[in-house]
Amino acid sequence: MDAGIPAGIHVEVYADVLCPWCYIGKRRMSAALEGIPAAERPRIVWRSFELAPDAGRTPGPTAAEAMAGWLGEGAPARVALIRSLGAAEGLALNLHLARPVSTFDAHRLHHLAAAHGLADQAMEHLLHAYHTEGLNVADPQVLRRVGAEAGLPGEEVETLLAGDGYGEQVRADRRRAAAHGVTGVPSLVIGGGPPVSAVQDPVELRRLLVRAVSSPGHS
């Protein structure tokens, strides 16, 4: 196990707020974990992965419009597929509302949440704000709201947004992703092994998670 991971942590989840597949994968991960007794669940660590590290804080074209630029005539079918898979998980993935921006500050907020044991809650609210509500997750006001919804102390959120707190942790996750060969999200790194997709059937995800706990390196 990598020295950078505390003992007992076997599953790292690399994700970005901009990625609709990450929202789908999060739902499937939750379903997979429901099938594992609490005492047998692996510890989960969320890792930052910026899909658009050079993006600004001002929203531009929507995600659907951006996909049209990448995929051309195939974009509508791709958007429909993502929306359909999201709906199957109870999610409204509004790619016609979501507008890609820098997620650096959102990831910093998520690291603050992790320090309070609220990583899962913060990621849920960030994903909902961006994909369902179409909010600008680079906007400090939106991040203040997300922090409050996740249960974070308001004064700590204000201090974070006024400085560069947890910025190095976001950059370290970027380097860590490269070291593990993570090139897309959502990806799972189990016990320091090669990355695997988190967008799998919950039954298969449960098998992978159980294996993480039962591996020889588990402590």
Side-chain angles (χ1 to χ4, degrees):
M1 182 172 300
D2 291 279
I5 307 179
I9 293 175
H10 288 259
V11 179
E12 298 172 90
V13 184
Y14 288 84
D16 189 35
V17 180
L18 301 184
C19 174
W21 297 104
C22 288
Y23 211 173
I24 295 169
K26 186 176 185 296
R27 279 290 185 274
R28 293 183 179 180
M29 283 281 292
S30 295
L33 288 168
E34 286 177 3
I36 304 175
E40 299 177 14
R41 291 184 180 184
R43 292 183 63 188
I44 305 294
V45 172
W46 290 89
R47 299 289 186 190
S48 304
F49 189 99
E50 299 168 87
L51 285 172
D54 298 322
R57 290 180 167 83
T58 301
T62 67
E65 290 168 341
M67 290 178 69
W70 309 330
L71 302 174
E73 295 180 357
R78 188 69 165 178
V79 169
L81 173 63
I82 292 171
R83 287 176 58 85
S84 175
L85 291 175
E89 303 295 338
L91 303 174
L93 299 178
N94 296 320
L95 282 76
H96 62 293
L97 297 179
R99 295 177 181 273
V101 289
S102 167
T103 53
F104 185 74
D105 287 343
H107 283 299
R108 292 198 302 120
L109 181 73
H110 189 242
H111 275 280
L112 173 63
H116 284 273
L118 298 170
D120 189 81
Q121 294 91 323
M123 181 57 72
E124 179 67 29
H125 287 296
L126 284 166
L127 289 167
H128 186 272
Y130 179 75
H131 291 287
T132 300
E133 299 182 74
L135 298 180
N136 177 2
V137 291
D139 183 341
Q141 191 59 38
V142 171
L143 295 177
R144 289 186 186 98
R145 196 198 84 175
V146 167
E149 290 172 340
L152 291 173
E155 64 275 13
E156 292 190 30
V157 173
E158 289 297 334
T159 298
L160 177 91
L161 295 175
D164 189 39
Y166 293 99
E168 180 51 36
Q169 284 85 337
V170 176
R171 290 184 282 268
D173 280 355
R174 188 186 303 162
R175 295 191 295 269
R176 188 177 192 85
H180 280 300
V182 175
T183 57
V185 289
S187 289
L188 305 180
V189 172
I190 301 173
V196 297
S197 173
V199 185
Q200 299 188 50
D201 182 274
V203 172
E204 176 60 19
L205 286 174
R206 183 162 59 247
R207 186 186 70 79
L208 292 171
L209 296 173
V210 168
R211 188 173 67 189
V213 173
S214 61
S215 64
H218 177 66
S219 56

